[in-house]
Amino acid sequence: MSRSLAALVIGNSKYKKAGKLKNPANDATDMAAVLTACGFSVTSVVDGTHKQMDKALGDFKAALKGHDVGLFFFAGHGVQIGGENFLAAIDVKTADETEAKHSSLALNKVIDTMEAADTKTNIIILDACRNNPWARAWRGGEERGLAPVYAPRGTLIAYATSPGQLAGDGKGRNGAYTAALLEHMATPDVTVEAMFKRVRNTLSATTAQKQISWEHTSLAGEFYFNLSVAARITDYGAAALGDDLFELDTSKKSHKIIASLKTLTWPRQNPAIDEITPALIAKVAADTLFVLGRNIYQSAAGNANSAIAYINDFTAKTTGTDKNDRKALLDGMLFEIFFDKTGTLRDQPKFRRFNEVFDLQRFAACKPSFDFIAACLLPYAGRYYAIPGKGHKVIADVRLGEKEKDAVLEVFVAGQQVLRRDSDDLPAWDDDEDKIYYRQRSKAQFKAWLEEELIVPARLLKIGYSRDVASGETLRVPMGWTCRLPA
């Protein structure tokens, strides 16, 4: 089960004619991070002018094409004028209601934009029910909070508080409503309606029931911000995807082999690998083959020679097996690279035999397994320059020093400079964050390092240098620096 999700997130704090709000910019930044982790492609606007907000909505309209789900989030001043809601830009004109309307983003325009898109589900979240700071200057008087609106089919509109009521800035980094959202949004396998109920309970508790969130929904189907792998992938059972739950029955030969592979000792692993024959594979259930594949990979990553040879000769070793059995074995190997024993995405892939497994992508018979791992990783697309399994090439352009010609200064991928200091990996013996230390690497070692940093197979990574680099030349790479995308 794969999903394509797009979001526009706006947070306005620095209002020119209403003073600065403490939380909205933080709300937008943190919301964008959570949505990215949940698989959304996110566009963010912080402290947007009317022109910037209007352009962002236009870009969002184009981005929604081909997506299943659209989400719009706004934190900042929202005002009700004549029964309609407007989301105030930081340069909103406040002399009267008419000027305010025409220098703000109309909520109805957001709703119409999303309704016109061919998305199955649309979600609009508004942390914008603060009091109107300009009401006294307007002849119409104050209309408290935001007005209820019609939610088209397939749409959920969520407010920080009930219609006509007010919400205040939070005491910490985030507004009280957004803080509750951030607490619950990424909880695995909770429907969007159930998630908002949890938000309401948390918000009620943290504000002593002074602020009660509210939703208007006409959703036609179920939506989950965070689907666990077990919920998204139906090819295998939960005990196989999180193989610490897999119960071994050593009276079965296949289970006995898995138990031997789990010992992490070569004298037991190598003979066990040699027992994996096409005849054995034909008698084994898909879940067991998947777990067997996982353990073949972990044995190879631990340098068990027979496991390494089995991966390198995978197509020959599985000749004559049913295509679904072969797929289950390879699915397990690929899954082990990216997911731990609980079925949770690893912070860093298990990379040691990454290239050997991904070399199998060259064979047409192995394509279904690479489609499988790409589907598993799609919700985490923001962590990859190219989703592993898709077969997309990545080009990295490396700028070397002019005076210190062997020093790696910058690495560009898709036009972006991605080499950055990793604050968690500074040399333990020196806390001078401004000083750069270097590690010498051969050209081949640097390529291998970059493959791991970018999580790209060797055959799909092309590196260009700002000058010719000889094959035997040594480069200096900054210590404690990384090219990985932030998690």
Side-chain angles (χ1 to χ4, degrees), residues 24-328:
N26 294 335
D27 292 342
T29 299
D30 296 345
M31 181 60 63
V34 169
L35 290 173
T36 298
C38 289
F40 281 82
S41 174
V42 181
T43 299
S44 297
V45 176
V46 174
D47 293 325
T49 64
H50 179 226
K51 183 177 180 179
Q52 289 170 334
M53 290 171 63
D54 200 56
K55 181 181 184 303
L57 184 63
D59 293 342
F60 185 48
K61 178 181 180 180
L64 285 174
K65 293 180 180 178
H67 284 77
D68 301 315
V69 179
L71 184 144
F72 176 87
F73 173 87
F74 177 83
H77 276 304
V79 295
Q80 180 186 162
I81 302 174
E84 292 187 39
N85 298 318
F86 296 88
L87 310 177
I90 61 167
D91 60 348
V92 59
K93 298 177 181 179
T94 61
D96 56 40
E97 294 96 321
T98 300
E99 283 199 350
K101 285 170 61 173
H102 292 288
S103 57
S104 298
L105 183 62
L107 178 58
N108 283 342
K109 185 175 182 179
V110 175
I111 295 170
D112 290 346
T113 296
M114 298 180 76
E115 183 183 13
D118 190 24
T119 44
K120 297 176 183 177
T121 299
N122 289 315
I123 300 168
I124 297 171
I125 303 174
L126 305 171
D127 194 352
C129 303
R130 298 162 175 84
N131 69 318
N132 181 349
W134 313 291
R136 290 187 179 182
W138 295 354
R139 64 173 181 265
E142 181 175 6
E143 295 176 279
R144 290 170 58 87
L146 296 180
V149 295
Y150 165 73
R153 179 176 173 80
T155 301
L156 182 148
I157 303 175
Y159 295 85
T161 191
S162 51
Q165 300 302 309
L166 301 178
D169 262 1
K171 296 180 181 179
R173 173 179 171 81
N174 300 110
Y177 179 57
T178 297
L181 283 167
L182 296 172
E183 179 179 343
H184 295 292
M185 187 172 280
T187 304
D189 304 332
V190 176
T191 65
V192 64
E193 291 92 347
M195 188 279 293
F196 276 111
K197 287 179 181 177
R198 295 185 182 193
V199 168
R200 186 156 35 255
N201 289 337
T202 296
L203 184 62
S204 179
T206 56
T207 64
Q209 299 187 24
K210 293 179 181 178
Q211 188 174 335
I212 308 297
S213 57
W214 180 86
E215 301 86 45
H216 187 116
T217 179
S218 61
L219 292 182
E222 290 187 340
F223 174 74
Y224 302 78
F225 279 101
N226 184 10
L227 273 174
S228 66
V229 172
R232 289 187 290 107
I233 305 300
T234 58
D235 306 54
Y236 308 101
L241 296 170
D243 77 342
D244 63 336
L245 301 174
F246 189 78
E247 295 184 11
L248 289 172
D249 178 359
T250 52
S251 66
K252 298 177 180 179
K253 188 173 183 179
S254 59
H255 286 230
K256 191 174 181 179
I257 292 172
I258 292 170
S260 295
L261 297 180
K262 286 182 178 292
T263 63
L264 307 182
T265 60
W266 298 338
R268 291 190 63 184
Q269 290 175 326
N270 287 327
I273 291 288
D274 295 337
E275 293 187 64
I276 304 172
T277 64
L280 173 77
I281 292 170
K283 300 175 183 178
V284 179
D287 275 12
T288 303
L289 288 171
F290 183 84
V291 174
L292 181 58
R294 295 193 67 167
N295 284 276
I296 290 171
Y297 184 82
Q298 66 87 8
S299 298
N303 287 331
N305 288 332
S306 291
I308 296 169
Y310 192 90
I311 293 173
N312 288 335
D313 298 330
F314 181 75
T315 54
K317 294 282 189 183
T318 56
T319 297
T321 60
D322 181 85
K323 64 179 181 180
N324 293 321
D325 292 341
R326 173 187 278 176
K327 178 179 181 296

